[in-house]
Amino acid sequence: MSSPKPRHLSTPVLTAIAVLLGAVVGAWWVYGTNSGSGNGYPVESNQATLSSDDRECAAKSELASVLKPLVRGEVAAMSIRQPVENTPALNFLDEAGTPTSLNDFAGQVLLVNLWATWCAPCRAEMPSLAKLQSDLGGEDFKVLAINIDTGDQVKPRAFLEEIGVSNLGLYQDNTMEVFNTFKRKGLALGLPATMLVDRQGCLFGVMNGPAEWASEDGFALVKKMIEISGEKPSVPVSDY
């Protein structure tokens, strides 16, 4: 059986799906993680027991607040983390099958996108991610799209070739552990799932559902993330 042709959803439909899923994950985070502090950390954690990486990221929470006015329109489903937290360790393979992790992209702002060929919203979203990479990608920024199909690279590679996307590369985790890592932390409910990560690996934002990234709203959010990612937090790390 041949692979189904991608169905391109309209911008209004993408936005509606993204906002709905964003609301669902927001409610789940508030009511489903049993956090007593209300700040996104588990009950058993507190400021005194945070790792040095978590403290460094939490000190950037004021910077993250600058992004909130830009969470609108096409990217309205993005949830800005308060406090900012260290991104979970992610391990996957690059196009050559070489083990790779987020640490290999240190120094770049990342839009980490988890996708699969069987996910219709993922397929519809992919051209806009490619456009975002084409226009803003470089030393400062990268769209890191990680495929989680459980087979080999044949099907995802064929899909990218079919839609003419060649600038995202093919990163893959066919164990789905990348997705499960975010799912265990309440950061991913389904696909696509997207994370906004700064140059030092701090998680600034999470989105569940698709978005039109090649839009004025998408570009504005990413550009501001690149801008503030080079700034130092005004709150000393020692205060966390």
Side-chain angles (χ1 to χ4, degrees):
M1 182 180 296
S2 61
S3 301
K5 297 288 185 182
R7 298 177 60 190
H8 296 286
L9 302 180
S10 66
T11 292
V13 173
L14 281 172
T15 302
I17 292 173
V19 170
L20 177 60
L21 288 176
V24 171
V25 74
W28 189 92
W29 180 255
V30 172
Y31 300 109
T33 58
N34 194 29
S35 173
S37 64
N39 63 3
Y41 289 112
V43 172
E44 61 271 17
S45 297
N46 55 53
Q47 303 288 26
T49 60
L50 294 181
S51 69
S52 60
D53 287 340
D54 280 328
R55 286 196 297 272
E56 289 181 6
C57 290
K60 300 179 181 182
S61 297
E62 186 176 340
L63 289 176
S65 66
V66 176
L67 297 175
K68 289 186 176 181
L70 299 176
V71 175
R72 62 195 179 197
E74 301 289 357
V75 292
M78 176 66 72
S79 173
I80 301 302
R81 309 302 296 168
Q82 288 291 348
V84 174
E85 53 202 298
N86 191 37
T87 305
L90 300 181
N91 298 289
F92 44 95
L93 302 178
D94 67 10
E95 198 154 9
T98 303
T100 307
S101 73
L102 286 191
N103 291 335
D104 294 308
F105 303 94
Q108 287 181 295
V109 170
L110 299 175
L111 191 74
V112 181
N113 179 267
L114 308 184
W115 68 282
T117 58
W118 40 263
C119 163
C122 302
R123 297 169 70 98
E125 180 184 48
M126 196 60 61
S128 71
L129 289 169
K131 174 64 173 173
L132 183 66
Q133 173 65 24
S134 176
D135 287 8
L136 296 184
E139 293 183 359
D140 292 325
F141 172 73
K142 179 178 178 61
V143 174
L144 181 58
I146 305 174
N147 173 265
I148 63 168
D149 281 43
T150 55
D152 56 26
Q153 291 186 348
V154 173
K155 194 170 182 179
R157 188 187 302 280
F159 166 67
L160 293 177
E161 291 176 352
E162 177 185 351
I163 63 173
V165 169
S166 59
N167 65 339
L168 297 180
L170 179 53
Y171 299 93
Q172 188 182 35
D173 171 28
N174 61 13
T175 70
M176 292 187 66
E177 183 57 27
V178 165
F179 173 77
N180 289 330
T181 294
F182 279 105
K183 185 177 179 181
R184 284 192 293 269
K185 291 182 174 291
L187 301 175
L189 292 179
L191 294 178
T194 307
M195 295 79 194
L196 191 56
V197 180
D198 81 348
R199 302 174 196 269
Q200 290 75 43
C202 297
L203 182 62
F204 272 65
V206 176
M207 178 186 289
N208 278 264
E212 181 54 61
W213 290 103
S215 63
E216 183 178 347
D217 297 322
F219 277 77
L221 179 63
V222 172
K223 285 180 178 179
K224 179 58 71 172
M225 183 69 228
I226 295 171
E227 177 186 329
I228 69 172
S229 188
E231 298 180 12
K232 293 184 178 180
S234 59
V235 179
V237 175
S238 58
D239 286 357
Y240 286 86

